[in-house]
Every structure is written in structure tokens, then in C-alpha cells.
């Protein structure tokens, strides 16, 4: 095949793919290797843009909406720990009208009737000596055991609501409550249950507003010894969580193969 040019793109692989490709490129003149550190570019762009955003909202009303993969939305939130976001908008996936709605302040009646509670569920028998666990947050859709087979052998801590569905978060107070539950779970409950923990594999089916709040809370974490890796769900791939991004510590921004 000397009459064609072969272009191979290494898209942030974490194995020895780039070494193998370079070896073949030395052998074949018509082969070109592009080592595309796309994840690093994305993370740097997010950091730059978010820092500009937070600087602007210091004197203005901060608003947010987003439809990026959850790892990158949470990663963005880690640079917004001190940002005061006043208004959140979510895409209305249930109306079929391709529109957004704004989270509202709860009325007295809504506060009284309440909303679905975000419940913590720990394994019946926890492995206290575990150095790695999975934290599965189900708000938009329920994350099943079948979804998590690639994490077999690790304790799974769940945060979930009854009847998880799209657009379940409608109120500011609801968002604040869910954010507080997640923060307490990561910073207190998990730390107490797993004193030797080194890594949290975070998988989530959540709206963008809670993604940003999780990121903000991670940015405020005092205990930074536990690496948190947030994964992206891809229904047509095996494994389902194809890749993750480390969102804190010395490895912050690192691409992790699923």
C-alpha cells in the first residue's frame, strides 16, 4: 500500500499505543503519527475559560448551564469553588420543545411538601481496609449493578433518589440540599468508613447544575490525599465507562482509561 498515506491519531491513550505506532512509522515512510493530547487541551481550555468567568461574575450575577460530559463539568466546577452562581438553567429533556428552564426558589408549599430525598446507601458489609471504592450518584437515571461490572471487587457507595429521572431538580433549595448530602458523604461518611482510602471512582447520572456544585465542593476539600476520578458513560461501548478524568490532587486533569 505504497500509494496511500496512513495517518494514525493517538488520542490520549494511557497504554503503549504511541510507542507501537512510532515503531511502525519508522519502518513505513507513508505512515504518519499524530500524538493528540486532546484531554490536556480540553482541561487547560476549561481552566482558562472558567477563571475568566469567575472573574467576571464577581461584580455581576453568575448564571450557568451546560451539556458537556460529566467529568469535564465537574472538573470546571473545581475552579469555581468561590464563585457565587445565582441562577441555574437546565435543558428540559422531557417537554420535547428544546428549551431551558430556570431553577426557582421554593414556595412555602413546596418546602412543606418537599422533594425526593437523596439517600446514602453503604454496602451491608464494608471493607474498611479498601484503598479504592466506587461512588455512584443516581439522580437523572438509576445506575444499576450491571452498569458497574467493570468495577467488580470494589465497594459501591450509592447516593440515589427514588424514581430517578430527567429534570428532577427544579428548585434552588433542592439543589442546595443534594449538594450538601454529596459533600457530607465524600468528606465525612466515606472518610470515616474507609480510613485508608486512596481513590474514589465517581460515576454519576446527574444534571449539569449538580455537576458544577460537586466540582465546587471538591475544590474546597481539605483532605486532598484521596484522588477522585470522574467517569463518562457511553452506552454503546464496553466497558460502559470508557474514560475518566482525575479532578483533584497532583494528578488533576489526567485522562484515565476506563
Amino acid at each position: 500500500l505504497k500509494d496511500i498515506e496512513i495517518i494514525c491519531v493517538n488520542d490520549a491513550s494511557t497504554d503503549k499505543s504511541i510507542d507501537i505506532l512510532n515503531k511502525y512509522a519508522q519502518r513505513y515512510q507513508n505512515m504518519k503519527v499524530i500524538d493528540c493530547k486532546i484531554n490536556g487541551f480540553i482541561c487547560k481550555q476549561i481552566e482558562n475559560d472558567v477563571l475568566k468567568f469567575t472573574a467576571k461574575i464577581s461584580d455581576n450575577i453568575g448564571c450557568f448551564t451546560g451539556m458537556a460530559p460529566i467529568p469535564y463539568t465537574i472538573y470546571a466546577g473545581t475552579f469555581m469553588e468561590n464563585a457565587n452562581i445565582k441562577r441555574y438553567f437546565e435543558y428540559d429533556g422531557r417537554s420535547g420543545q428544546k428549551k431551558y428552564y430556570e431553577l426557582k426558589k421554593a414556595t412555602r408549599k413546596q418546602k412543606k411538601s418537599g422533594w425526593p430525598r437523596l439517600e446514602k446507601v453503604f454496602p451491608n458489609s464494608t471493607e474498611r481496609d479498601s484503598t479504592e471504592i466506587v461512588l455512584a450518584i443516581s439522580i437523572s437515571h438509576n445506575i444499576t449493578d450491571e452498569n458497574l461490572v467493570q468495577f467488580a471487587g470494589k465497594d459501591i457507595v450509592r447516593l440515589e433518589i427514588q424514581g430517578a429521572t430527567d429534570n428532577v431538580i427544579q428548585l434552588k433549595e433542592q439543589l442546595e440540599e443534594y449538594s450538601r448530602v454529596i459533600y457530607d458523604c465524600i468528606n465525612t461518611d466515606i472518610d470515616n468508613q474507609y480510613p485508608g482510602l486512596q481513590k474514589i471512582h465517581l460515576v454519576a447520572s446527574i444534571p449539569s447544575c449538580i455537576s458544577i456544585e460537586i466540582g465546587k465542593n471538591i475544590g474546597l476539600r481539605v483532605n486532598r490525599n484521596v484522588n477522585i476520578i470522574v467517569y463518562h458513560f457511553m452506552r454503546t461501548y464496553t466497558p460502559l465507562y470508557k474514560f475518566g478524568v482525575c479532578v483533584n490532587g497532583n494528578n488533576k486533569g489526567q485522562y484515565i482509561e476506563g
Side-chain angles (χ1 to χ4, degrees), residues 10-21 37 255 257:
N10 179 50
D11 190 3
S13 67
T14 56
D15 53 17
K16 296 183 179 180
S17 297
I18 187 62
D19 296 330
I20 296 171
L21 291 173
K37 306 287 187 182
Y255 178 95
E257 193 77 23

Side-chain angles (χ1 to χ4, degrees), residues 144-153 240:
T144 65
D145 289 339
E146 289 74 18
N147 296 149
L148 301 174
V149 292
Q150 73 192 83
F151 301 105
L240 293 174

Side-chain angles (χ1 to χ4, degrees), residues 171-224:
L171 305 168
K172 291 182 178 179
E173 290 84 354
Q174 185 183 7
L175 173 62
E176 291 169 1
E177 179 183 297
Y178 288 0
S179 300
R180 186 167 58 253
V181 170
I182 295 170
Y183 179 84
D184 290 343
C185 183
I186 294 175
N187 287 278
T188 303
D189 301 325
I190 288 178
D191 280 352
N192 290 339
Q193 287 286 344
Y194 303 97
L197 192 65
Q198 298 175 12
K199 190 178 295 182
I200 296 175
H201 303 275
L202 196 160
V203 297
S205 179
I206 52 179
S208 62
C209 59
I210 201 74
S211 297
I212 284 293
E213 290 298 320
I214 291 173
K216 290 172 67 176
N217 288 335
I218 290 173
L220 290 168
R221 274 176 62 85
V222 176
N223 178 11
R224 299 176 186 270

Side-chain angles (χ1 to χ4, degrees), residues 79-90:
F79 298 101
M80 303 169 68
E81 66 267 33
N82 296 313
N84 186 15
I85 301 178
K86 297 288 188 180
R87 304 175 68 183
Y88 274 108
F89 296 84
E90 286 294 331

Side-chain angles (χ1 to χ4, degrees), residues 11-216:
D11 190 3
S13 67
T14 56
D15 53 17
K16 296 183 179 180
S17 297
I18 187 62
D19 296 330
I20 296 171
L21 291 173
N22 285 333
K23 187 180 295 184
Y24 276 100
Q26 291 174 2
R27 186 186 305 176
Y28 300 105
Q29 296 290 324
N30 60 332
M31 182 173 175
K32 180 179 180 182
V33 176
I34 300 175
D35 190 12
C36 183
K37 306 287 187 182
I38 187 67
N39 179 72
F41 171 79
I42 292 173
C43 289
K44 190 61 180 177
Q45 192 66 43
I46 289 173
E47 179 180 358
N48 291 339
D49 289 346
V50 169
L51 291 177
K52 290 177 184 177
F53 170 75
T54 54
K56 287 182 179 180
I57 67 172
S58 60
D59 298 319
N60 298 281
I61 297 175
C63 306
F64 176 82
T65 189
M67 294 184 70
I70 289 172
Y72 294 119
T73 312
I74 291 180
Y75 182 80
T78 65
F79 298 101
M80 303 169 68
E81 66 267 33
N82 296 313
N84 186 15
I85 301 178
K86 297 288 188 180
R87 304 175 68 183
Y88 274 108
F89 296 84
E90 286 294 331
Y91 181 74
D92 189 347
R94 297 187 296 183
S95 69
Q97 298 180 20
K98 296 182 179 180
K99 64 179 182 180
Y100 288 79
Y101 68 90
E102 182 177 358
L103 270 61
K104 300 295 185 182
K105 187 174 178 62
T107 63
R108 185 177 301 176
K109 182 178 180 180
Q110 288 172 320
K111 289 180 180 179
K112 186 175 181 179
S113 61
W115 41 79
R117 298 302 176 190
L118 186 60
E119 304 289 348
K120 304 173 189 176
V121 182
F122 278 79
N124 292 329
S125 178
T126 58
E127 296 289 340
R128 286 184 59 82
D129 294 334
S130 297
T131 57
E132 299 183 26
I133 66 161
V134 177
L135 175 59
I137 307 176
S138 301
I139 295 178
S140 298
H141 298 281
N142 185 42
I143 299 173
T144 65
D145 289 339
E146 289 74 18
N147 296 149
L148 301 174
V149 292
Q150 73 192 83
F151 301 105
K154 297 179 177 61
D155 274 9
I156 299 173
V157 178
R158 294 183 178 276
L159 289 170
E160 55 192 15
I161 64 171
Q162 291 289 331
T165 186
D166 285 329
N167 305 136
V168 70
I169 299 180
Q170 298 281 329
L171 305 168
K172 291 182 178 179
E173 290 84 354
Q174 185 183 7
L175 173 62
E176 291 169 1
E177 179 183 297
Y178 288 0
S179 300
R180 186 167 58 253
V181 170
I182 295 170
Y183 179 84
D184 290 343
C185 183
I186 294 175
N187 287 278
T188 303
D189 301 325
I190 288 178
D191 280 352
N192 290 339
Q193 287 286 344
Y194 303 97
L197 192 65
Q198 298 175 12
K199 190 178 295 182
I200 296 175
H201 303 275
L202 196 160
V203 297
S205 179
I206 52 179
S208 62
C209 59
I210 201 74
S211 297
I212 284 293
E213 290 298 320
I214 291 173
K216 290 172 67 176

